[in-house]
Amino acid sequence: MTDAPLDLACDLVARAKKGGADAADAVFIGGTSLGVGVRNGATEELERSETTDLGLRVFLGRRAAIVSTSNLDPAGFDALVEQALAMARVLPEDAHAGLPDSSALIGRIDQNDLDLVDATEPTVDALLDRARAVEDAARAIDGVTNTSGASASWGRSEVALASTLGVAGHYARTSHSMSISVLAGEGTGMQRDYDYDSAVHLSDLGDPIAVGTSAGRKAVARLNPSRPRTGAFPVVFDPRVANSFLGHLSGAINGASIARGTSFLKTKLGERIFAEGVSVIDDPTRRRGARSRPFDGEGLRCEKLSLVEDGVLQTWVLDSRSGRQLGLRSNGRATRGASSAPSPGLTNLFFAPGQETPEALMSDIQEGLYITEMMGSAINGITGDYSRGGTGFMIRDGQLAEPIAEFTIAGNLLDMFARIRLANDLRFRFGSDAPTLRIDALSVAGA
C-alpha cells in the first residue's frame, strides 16, 4: 500500500538532507477526476483519470535543481535524490534561490478549516443526469436549434508539501461543475452562447435547469446582431467578462514581471491606479473558495491580502525568489507544480463590490455598449495598450437594446483602470470574480 502523500514528501526531504543537500523541499500533487459529456441526449464522452506526481527541489548553496516522478515507491527515492544533487552540482548559481526566510511558515498542518472537501463522489449516472438536464433545459428554449454538448464533472485534488525548514503540510479539495454551449438560429445567422457553474461542494452547485435555460436564452438574444458605429462610448462589462481586468492587473503586479521590468505598472507601487473606492483583494482563506488553500507553494501560511485599497496599489504579488529580487519578503503567493520552481500567483481574487445596482450603473447612458463576451487579445504588458473584440448589446437610454457583434474595443489599461466603476452584484463563483463594471469613453471600432 502506498504511503500517505505527506509521509512520502517528508521521507524524500529527509533523504535529500542525508544525501548532502543544504536544503530541500518536496511536493506531492495528485488528482482524480470523472467527467461526462452529452450531445442531443446521447453520451458522447466519459472519462476518468488519476494522476500522481512527486517533485523534489534541492539546494547546494545557491545552486538548485528539480526532479519529479510519478513512481511513489520509496525504494527509488535515493536514486531520485542523487539525480537531483548531480544536476545541482553542474547548474549555475542563482543569487535569489533558496527556501523562504520567513516566520510565516506553517510548521505541520494536515487539512484545514476551509471546508474544501465534499465527501460526495457522484456516480457516472448522476453526472449524465446532470448534463442531460442542462441540455434539455437549453433545447427547450424557443429559437435554440442545437447544442455543442453539455458536460458535468467531479474532481478531487490533493497537495502535500515538506521542507527542511520543518514544513509539513497537506490539504485536499473537491470540485463539481457543469457547462453547456448552445446554438440558436440557422445557417450563417447562427449564434452561440454558453453558461456554466462550479463549486467545491455539490450542495453549492447551481440548478442544472437554470444553467441550461440561461445559456439558451443568451444564445437566442444574440440573433441578428448589427455592428455598432465607430466612436467613443461608455462600455459596461458583464460580470463573466469583467473579471478579465483582474487578470490584466494580476499579470502587471506579478513580482517576476516587476523584477524583469516588463510591466506597465512597474513604477506605480503606492500610487493611485484606480478610482477612489475601488479595492482588489486576494483571499485564500475563504471557506469553500474555488482556489482557497491553507498554505502556498513554499509552505508559507496563506492570509488575506489587499492588493489595491481605495484605488491605491499596495503591494506586488511575491514568492520568495521574486521578493529577494526586489528586496522584499514573500507575501505567501507562491504557486508550483511537481516539476517546476515556485512562481508568484493569486488565489480567490476579486473586486470589492460598489454601491450601485447594475441598472443604476447604466441608467444615465444614452448610447453605449454592454459586453457579454470577448475574443482575441492584443494586450501589451509593457505599455498597457489594450485591444479586444467583443459581442453584446447596445445600451440606449439606460436600457439594453439590440444585439451587436464584430467590433473592437481599444484603450490603455492605465487609463481604463482609472475610470472603472463597479456595481454591487459581486458573486463568488470562479476564483476570479468581478461585479458588473463600467468604463467611460472607450474607443470602439465598428461600422
Side-chain angles (χ1 to χ4, degrees), residues 313-324:
L313 180 60
Q314 302 293 315
T315 185
W316 308 126
V317 180
L318 301 170
D319 65 348
S320 292
R321 186 177 189 278
S322 60
R324 292 187 186 104

Side-chain angles (χ1 to χ4, degrees), residues 167-193:
V167 166
H170 169 260
Y171 68 93
R173 176 190 291 110
T174 53
S175 65
H176 301 263
S177 66
M178 56 185 164
S179 64
I180 186 169
S181 178
V182 178
L183 301 172
E186 301 285 351
T188 58
M190 190 175 288
Q191 294 293 323
R192 178 199 60 83
D193 215 308

Side-chain angles (χ1 to χ4, degrees), residues 423-435:
N424 63 359
D425 58 337
L426 176 69
R427 289 181 59 201
F428 293 119
R429 298 181 68 190
F430 307 121
S432 179
D433 297 287

Side-chain angles (χ1 to χ4, degrees), residues 112-194:
N112 53 82
D113 59 356
L114 300 178
D115 198 12
L116 299 180
V117 177
D118 181 359
T120 304
E121 179 177 345
T123 63
V124 169
D125 287 341
L127 291 177
L128 286 170
D129 288 344
R130 186 191 309 165
R132 290 190 178 113
V134 173
E135 187 181 46
D136 289 346
R139 295 174 67 190
I141 300 300
D142 189 29
V144 170
T145 52
N146 207 341
T147 79
S148 298
S151 65
S153 65
W154 165 88
R156 186 182 191 277
S157 60
E158 192 170 10
V159 174
L161 177 70
S163 82
T164 51
L165 295 179
V167 166
H170 169 260
Y171 68 93
R173 176 190 291 110
T174 53
S175 65
H176 301 263
S177 66
M178 56 185 164
S179 64
I180 186 169
S181 178
V182 178
L183 301 172
E186 301 285 351
T188 58
M190 190 175 288
Q191 294 293 323
R192 178 199 60 83
D193 215 308
Y194 66 94

Side-chain angles (χ1 to χ4, degrees), residues 56-106:
L56 172 67
R57 182 172 59 149
V58 299
F59 297 91
L60 293 175
R62 291 297 182 181
R63 293 181 170 89
I66 297 173
V67 294
S68 66
T69 182
S70 57
N71 182 358
L72 305 184
D73 184 354
F77 284 6
D78 287 338
L80 193 68
V81 167
E82 183 51 42
Q83 180 186 358
L85 291 171
M87 292 170 59
R89 292 186 188 103
V90 299
L91 289 172
E93 290 191 353
D94 179 350
H96 307 294
L99 296 179
D101 45 1
S102 173
S103 60
L105 290 167
I106 57 169

